[in-house]
Amino acid sequence: MLREGAGRIGGSIARLLFPPVCPGCQTAVGQADALCPACWSGLRFIERPYCEVLGSPFAYDLGRGFLSAEAIANPPPFGRLRAAVLYEDLAARLVSALKYGDRTSLVPLMAGWMSRAGEELIAEADVLVPVPLHHRRLLRRRFNQSAELARVIAGTRRLAYAPLALARVKPTRSQVGLRAEERRENVRGAFRVKEARRGDIEGRRVLLVDDVFTTGATVSSATRALKRAGASRVDVLAFARVAAGTE
Ligand SMILES: [Zn+2]
């Protein structure tokens, strides 16, 4: 009780010294780890109607279970994809603040939105696996944003979390600015399930966690590696996705 009291006092002092700011625009807000109303309205949360496979929003409600033309023409190797928000303006700023600015205070907020968007996927998953960085990039950056998001989701939903099961064995260059075909080539064979961790994956339903879904090249390559190691199913949960995937 004493410690709890001290924690509360510590918290009030911290609030006096560092009044909470909006993680989107740095203006003062009343409550820690909350967006200001302007930023809140700048995020586009993805809601149904959307493609049941790719989670891409539809302009019209065509009824539950309807698939996008893209999902029919090019079925992805993973089962379903869900993302919390569309990747534009503020969503993009939040992702880069997390990735390059070590703004870890964003993690619970973003993970909470992902949990909500991925409700059905989480309910059916056995284990959460983040898309890994290559160890050299991890050393440089010290922080894998997808792993931090996955760790918080797994913790709050009491799910198994296997951050070391999947490894990025090929140092790939950034996907930014590459065409769809180049992206696929760039990440081909980039992932492998470590032999010693095969038990985390074999026969299990895996929920793969990434920060942004663009063409799907990265998560498709990671999905193939997980399936080669015996995953019975792979779904994908991202924080943000571009309006329409192109893979
Ligand atoms: Zn703001």
Side-chain angles (χ1 to χ4, degrees):
M1 207 144 135
L2 248 180
R3 201 179 324 156
E4 214 174 86
R8 259 203 304 277
I9 293 165
S12 337
I13 292 171
R15 266 193 298 282
L16 273 176
L17 293 176
F18 309 104
V21 296
C22 168
C25 64
Q26 313 297 314
T27 59
V29 286
Q31 191 192 338
D33 301 323
L35 289 178
C36 73
C39 284
W40 182 257
S41 63
L43 281 177
R44 278 211 283 164
F45 288 89
I46 299 172
E47 310 275 356
R48 284 199 164 86
Y50 51 55
C51 168
E52 288 302 318
V53 169
L54 291 175
S56 40
F58 288 146
Y60 303 100
D61 197 348
L62 300 161
R64 195 72 177 255
F66 209 80
L67 302 188
S68 57
E70 189 192 334
I72 294 166
N74 279 311
F78 50 83
R80 292 167 294 180
L81 162 76
R82 296 292 180 263
V85 297
L86 284 182
Y87 186 65
E88 51 184 24
D89 314 332
L90 177 66
R93 285 213 308 276
L94 292 178
V95 167
S96 71
L98 183 60
K99 191 182 281 187
Y100 303 108
D102 288 350
R103 289 266 294 285
T104 47
S105 65
L106 283 170
V107 172
L109 197 63
M110 292 163 75
W113 297 332
M114 289 169 75
S115 263
R116 194 172 144 265
E119 189 61 55
E120 296 163 332
L121 278 51
I122 290 168
E124 292 172 20
D126 297 316
V127 60
L128 260 70
V129 173
V131 170
L133 296 176
H134 189 262
H135 62 87
R136 278 209 295 272
R137 183 166 297 175
L138 184 61
L139 270 180
R140 206 164 52 232
R141 209 186 275 162
R142 303 188 323 275
F143 182 76
N144 175 0
Q145 68 281 3
S146 303
E148 293 307 305
L149 293 168
R151 188 175 54 78
V152 170
I153 297 168
T156 52
R157 305 301 296 264
R158 297 179 184 279
L159 268 167
Y161 171 54
L164 302 175
L166 191 63
R168 198 184 277 249
V169 292
K170 189 173 114 181
T172 52
R173 57 194 179 118
S174 162
Q175 297 276 74
V176 176
L178 299 185
R179 292 192 316 259
E181 180 59 32
E182 295 170 321
R183 283 172 180 255
R184 273 197 294 278
E185 198 45 51
N186 190 30
V187 293
R188 192 186 306 280
F191 300 95
R192 193 175 304 146
V193 171
K194 291 178 196 162
E195 205 46 49
R197 304 270 175 182
R198 214 182 155 95
D200 290 342
I201 302 302
E202 200 163 15
R204 305 185 82 185
R205 294 171 297 186
V206 176
L207 182 54
L208 184 63
V209 176
D210 205 358
D211 56 349
V212 181
F213 179 91
T214 313
T215 63
T218 300
V219 287
S220 292
S221 179
T223 295
R224 289 188 190 100
L226 290 164
K227 288 200 163 166
R228 273 198 300 275
S232 63
R233 177 182 186 99
V234 179
D235 288 319
V236 179
L237 180 58
F239 167 65
R241 62 157 298 148
V242 294
T246 48
E247 184 166 277

